[in-house]
């Protein structure tokens, strides 16, 4: 059975929207090294529509280093009720997106990684399909925006570890409690 990791950027006040606005000043060698290590064993991405659209626009224009080339080449599975055509080596999750992810996890293969957090993530959390979370907490207050798991019922997670960068980012690695 494949493992599903979720990697999400979040501000101190719990905002997950617009990470491209607040996160770039904190990207450094430690950030890059953690991103590269997180991709070890990953052979496909699972994305919600908004993350897919943002990533496809930004990442498809990049190439020339092993991380980016691997990131762009791997298959992407996208949850969307509105998209009909995809690019960037992506395909729609057929039928119910949660059940499609469940089927993906049952297949042979490497780890699946999901970036971004929103409605799709809440559904995966409810279905207990995410095996591990990597919440990148940035030392910034956004003040407004979509909040991490806003409206989610009380859910306990187990801390597997934390990594602190000199930039002030703290990545909390968590798993759902059994």
């Amino acid at each position: 059975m494949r493992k599903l990791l979720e990697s999400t950027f979040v501000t101190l006040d719990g905002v997950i929207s617009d990470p491209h606005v607040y996160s770039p000043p904190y990207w450094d060698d430690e950030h890059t090294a953690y991103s590269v290590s997180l991709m070890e064993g990953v052979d496909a991405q699972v994305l919600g529509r908004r993350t897919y659209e943002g990533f496809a626009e930004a990442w498809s224009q990049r190439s020339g280093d092993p991380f980016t080339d691997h990131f762009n080449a791997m298959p992407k599975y996208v949850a969307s009720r509105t998209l009909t055509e995809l690019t960037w080596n992506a395909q729609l999750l057929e039928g119910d997106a949660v059940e499609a992810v469940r089927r993906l996890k049952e297949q042979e293969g490497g780890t699946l990684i999901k970036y971004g957090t929103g409605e799709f993530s809440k559904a995966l959390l409810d279905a207990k399909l995410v095996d591990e979370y990597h919440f990148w907490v940035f030392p910034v207050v956004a003040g407004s925006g979509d909040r991490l798991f806003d409206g989610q019922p009380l859910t306990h997670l187990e801390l597997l570890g934390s990594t602190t960068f000199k930039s002030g980012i703290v990545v909390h690695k968590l798993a759902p409690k059994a």
Side-chain angles (χ1 to χ4, degrees), residues 37-163:
S37 71
L38 192 57
M39 292 295 284
E40 290 175 14
V42 170
D43 69 1
Q45 296 178 37
V46 175
L47 305 168
R49 180 194 50 82
R50 285 191 294 174
T51 303
Y52 162 75
E53 288 175 330
F55 275 21
E57 182 179 338
W59 283 94
S60 65
Q61 307 303 313
R62 302 174 189 172
S63 66
D65 66 84
F67 177 85
T68 302
D69 293 343
H70 176 60
F71 193 87
N72 283 328
M74 72 175 60
K76 287 106 183 146
Y77 300 97
V78 180
S80 175
R81 292 183 213 86
T82 58
L83 295 177
T84 56
E85 292 185 31
L86 303 176
T87 61
W88 192 47
N89 201 23
Q91 61 185 349
L92 285 172
L93 290 167
E94 297 292 328
D96 179 78
V98 170
E99 288 307 312
V101 171
R102 190 181 314 280
R103 288 189 301 272
L104 276 176
K105 286 187 66 173
E106 291 170 353
Q107 295 174 359
E108 293 294 319
T111 300
L112 302 166
I113 193 164
K114 183 186 174 305
Y115 292 99
T117 301
E119 181 182 334
F120 183 38
S121 291
K122 291 175 187 179
L124 294 173
L125 176 67
D126 289 342
K128 300 186 182 341
L129 289 176
V130 178
D131 300 291
E132 195 173 284
Y133 293 95
H134 293 251
F135 293 125
W136 302 61
V137 182
F138 284 75
V140 63
V141 175
S144 65
D146 296 331
R147 304 243 177 240
L148 180 66
F149 295 125
D150 198 21
Q152 187 69 26
L154 180 65
T155 304
H156 295 277
L157 302 172
E158 177 183 352
L159 180 65
L160 302 177
S162 293
T163 304

